[in-house]
Amino acid sequence: MDHDIQLLLMLLSCAVLTLLIVYALSYATAIRRYPYFSVPDVDGPQGRQPIQTQRAFNIAHRGSNGEIPEATAEAFLRAIDEGADFIETDITATKDGRLICFHDLILDDTTDVADHAEFQDRIHTYEDEGKNVTGYFAVDFTLDELKTLRARQRFKFRDQSFNGKFQIITFEEFISIALNATRIVGIYPEIKSPVFINQHVKWPDGKRHEDIFVETLLKNGYKGTYLSDEWRRQPLFIQSFAPTSLIYSSSLTNSPLILLIDDLTMPTQDTNQTYAEITSDEYLQYISKFVVGIGPWKDTIVPPDANNYLKLPTDLVSRAHAHNLQVHPYTFRNEYGYLHYDFHQDPFQEYIYWIHTICVDGLFTDFTGSLHLYQEWTSPL
């Protein structure tokens, strides 16, 4: 009988201990899942795992947006859970001058704005980079109004079950997600469409999109040159497709800047040069005084042929490296429609090629988990 009682007490103790562990894990998960409601001290929690700098950076393009609607808190949190080195987002602005995480100038493709009868009179047509665009522009909404909208998955062939659940978030909330992570996670914000934003949003004292953008970063402790102690504590890359925006920003901060590169035939939004012109050796030498790297569309580095097979690589990566510039191409996606036939519909084959043959320094990916698994298997830290 005594033996039975002892056994019963042991089982009860184990059950209580299991419940306590489950509760503790659930609480920890809840805290980790919704960290963006408060911003910690800029020094951050001590003893966190540092950011890795030994292998190509895993840059979560608008969060883990292959799984969850882009640029939402939940997409960024998923990307961190899946191993992202950096969470990446575009930063635009609202009518009342608040900075938000949003890629498009219009809200039509990735929110439920069309379902809101109260906003039906907000459809406008504006010119952007020489083209007329019609839709619901974020610059015509206040932040409070935008917070009533819910995000939708951009691509119909991706999971639609999260549509209508998540909000647009602010730049401050995005920063808070990184600062509250259980390990050191970098941020990679883009000064999005600065020419358009500066035309349509006005801040006090004649300040520009770039001023408010950098002020937000400095206020939250982001500063320091690449690989400095300050940078390692709060890693940051600032990106833009607009060269003059980056040059101006370099006078406001010493944080590392990245010049994005579009299709080589496209003109820049601010200088009217083609991207072919600004990838010349002469221009790379010039821009290297202001930026630490370039972020090219990957097809500008290795263009495909008409049959979806890759041609020979250009010399853009080697020339950029010769000017001491990093190369972070975009965008890596797992779906068949985005994989060139050379890779046999296998994203790992694509990573092998770009990391080990082309030798890039970072990759923008919609599928953070896939890149992280590949790197853990091939180059564990």
Side-chain angles (χ1 to χ4, degrees), residues 127-141:
E127 183 181 327
D128 176 49
E129 298 186 43
K131 297 178 181 178
N132 285 332
V133 180
T134 299
Y136 296 92
F137 284 81
V139 294
D140 290 327
F141 289 74

Side-chain angles (χ1 to χ4, degrees), residues 82-147:
E82 291 180 338
D85 298 315
F86 288 85
I87 51 175
E88 185 269 351
T89 189
D90 311 85
I91 302 297
T92 61
T94 66
K95 182 179 181 178
D96 49 345
R98 299 294 299 277
L99 300 188
I100 57 169
C101 298
F102 207 76
H103 176 268
D104 299 354
L105 293 176
I106 59 173
L107 303 163
D108 304 48
D109 294 334
T110 57
T111 76
D112 62 355
V113 65
D115 297 335
H116 287 251
E118 69 273 26
F119 298 138
Q120 292 305 302
D121 62 346
R122 301 293 179 91
I123 298 176
H124 293 112
T125 299
Y126 294 131
E127 183 181 327
D128 176 49
E129 298 186 43
K131 297 178 181 178
N132 285 332
V133 180
T134 299
Y136 296 92
F137 284 81
V139 294
D140 290 327
F141 289 74
T142 66
L143 178 61
D144 286 346
E145 290 173 331
L146 290 176
K147 283 290 189 179

Side-chain angles (χ1 to χ4, degrees), residues 298 308 333-347 350:
K298 62 182 181 178
N308 199 34
R333 297 178 168 112
N334 288 3
E335 290 99 350
Y336 290 172
Y338 295 107
L339 288 167
H340 298 303
Y341 293 150
D342 309 70
F343 305 124
H344 314 293
Q345 308 299 333
D346 182 357
E350 186 177 35

